[in-house]
Amino acid sequence: MIDELYSARILKLAANLPHSGRLADPQGTGERVAKLCGSKAIVDVSLDADGRIAAFAQDVKACALGQAAAGVLGESVIGASLEEIADARDAMIAMLKAGGEGPDGRFAGLRALKLVADYPARHASTMVAIEATLDAVRQALARKGPDTRTSLAGAA
């Protein structure tokens, strides 16, 4: 089963990390660390006038599963709203912990990590990039002012 977990698809996603690095002047930054294994993601974002991600960069130091999740995120995150990212996070949690199908829409690629559900010690690593992205977007929205704060309430 461990061979299935580290499939060619997972390893390919892990090796290709879109938007790797940091933004020079982000509107928001999020950082998450998985305490059990030390996997870490730092995410920088800038938002457009509608509060959607216009620029994204990620510095991820994680196992292959965390890197794979970050790879899918990096492929799909430009143009995403806080609500879309929060929905994907919630669907990931349901997939890992409660037998859910996983995210759909722009983040459906995260379903490739469905087998991680059988390895609870790997859940946190798989989630660091998406959680850091949520933190970064929330920070950016808070800095943009009261016009966008209503978006914060629905995706907390």
Side-chain angles (χ1 to χ4, degrees), residues 23-91:
L23 295 180
D25 190 23
Q27 293 173 333
T29 298
E31 181 175 338
R32 288 292 179 111
V33 177
K35 293 180 179 125
L36 185 63
C37 66
S39 291
K40 180 178 180 179
I42 301 171
V43 172
D44 295 325
V45 298
S46 290
L47 307 178
D48 65 17
D50 295 325
R52 294 181 173 274
I53 295 179
F56 173 87
Q58 57 185 344
D59 182 11
V60 180
K61 307 285 190 273
C63 68
L65 299 171
Q67 290 280 132
V72 172
L73 186 71
E75 290 174 347
S76 308
V77 76
I78 300 296
S81 68
L82 176 69
E83 292 77 23
E84 287 176 295
I85 300 162
D87 288 349
R89 186 265 325 264
D90 294 346

Side-chain angles (χ1 to χ4, degrees), residues 78-146:
I78 300 296
S81 68
L82 176 69
E83 292 77 23
E84 287 176 295
I85 300 162
D87 288 349
R89 186 265 325 264
D90 294 346
M92 279 293 292
I93 291 169
M95 181 179 80
L96 295 174
K97 299 190 179 296
E101 290 302 312
D104 55 12
R106 75 169 63 233
F107 296 110
L110 290 168
R111 290 180 176 202
L113 295 155
K114 190 168 179 71
L115 289 177
V116 177
D118 295 333
Y119 300 89
R122 304 286 201 275
H123 292 184
S125 177
T126 304
M127 297 298 296
V128 293
I130 198 162
E131 294 286 4
T133 301
L134 276 171
D135 292 345
V137 172
R138 285 186 186 115
Q139 184 182 90
L141 286 169
R143 287 183 176 165
K144 283 178 94 62

